[in-house]
Amino acid sequence: MERTLVILKPCTIQRGLTGEIIARFEKKGLILEGMKMTWLTDEILSEHYAHLKERSFFQRVKDAMAVCPVIVCCWKGVDAVNVVRTLAGATNGRNAAPGTIRGDYSMSVQENIVHASDSPETAAIELKRFFNEDELFSYETKNLLSLYANDEF
Ligand code: UDP
Ligand code: MG
């Protein structure tokens, strides 16, 4: 099983979509192992979006992530990183396929509802960035055999 990080961006909080978006991950069968509301600082956003630091929109993207608190989540599942990226859809909400989160809820490249880690290595780094160890929980999930065959997990 893999863990991945999802951030419900300020646009999601502002539009009152928090419950709906969390429900998408729950209904898929991902297991919630951490969740908290936090107001991101420019410092942590500079680290998080370091891959964009040469881009003209770097500061704009960081500022948009600090408009209000966000909700950070840790989801677990087999291939969770890929599953969550597929659920999220293409970065630009206008190009994202219908049925994906961004395809269903976003008209924007920037205001695109969620952040989702893009590889298992990134997920491990990002989970450490946003969660303390005691904020992530491993626990027995009673419905595992309803989610997977016994040789899948
Ligand atoms: N972004 C933007 N304009 C762009 C590319 C990215 O505003 O041309 C924002 C957008 O909010 C995106 C974030 O920067 O989600 C991180 O970009 P990345 O390429 O990592 O996309 P993601 O992994 O979120 O799909
Ligand atoms: Mg990315």
Side-chain angles (χ1 to χ4, degrees):
M1 292 259 189
E2 213 167 71
R3 277 175 166 178
T4 192
L5 175 84
V6 169
I7 305 176
L8 306 188
K9 296 188 175 188
C11 56
T12 307
I13 313 301
Q14 294 288 336
R15 289 172 61 193
L17 294 173
T18 302
E20 271 185 58
I21 302 306
I22 290 169
R24 303 278 285 233
F25 296 112
E26 281 189 314
K27 287 178 186 171
K28 178 67 175 171
L30 289 149
I31 296 159
L32 188 60
E33 292 206 330
M35 181 160 73
K36 69 175 177 185
M37 188 171 237
T38 178
W39 203 320
L40 301 176
T41 62
D42 194 69
E43 190 185 0
I44 201 167
L45 286 164
S46 294
E47 194 182 296
H48 185 60
Y49 286 126
H51 62 295
L52 301 176
K53 70 172 182 295
E54 307 303 334
R55 308 296 294 268
S56 57
F57 51 79
F58 180 53
Q59 192 62 45
R60 190 197 74 200
V61 167
K62 290 193 294 171
D63 290 346
M65 289 294 284
V67 160
C68 70
V70 298
I71 293 174
V72 290
C73 310
C74 171
W75 293 101
K76 188 178 83 170
V78 174
D79 302 329
V81 171
N82 274 331
V83 167
V84 166
R85 288 286 288 188
T86 303
L87 288 179
T91 304
N92 183 341
R94 294 190 297 280
N95 299 335
T100 65
I101 291 168
R102 288 162 170 174
D104 287 351
Y105 293 96
S106 169
M107 282 292 287
S108 169
V109 184
Q110 177 177 282
E111 306 300 327
N112 59 359
I113 310 297
V114 287
H115 165 82
S117 305
D118 63 10
S119 72
E121 296 71 35
T122 313
I125 294 166
E126 292 184 342
L127 284 165
K128 271 214 177 88
R129 179 173 298 143
F130 294 102
F131 285 102
N132 300 320
E133 248 167 60
D134 64 356
E135 293 172 327
L136 293 176
F137 301 89
S138 292
Y139 55 96
E140 189 191 350
T141 33
K142 308 282 187 190
N143 65 345
L144 222 47
L145 286 169
S146 306
L147 292 170
Y148 299 104
N150 62 9
D151 62 354
E152 276 183 306
F153 57 87

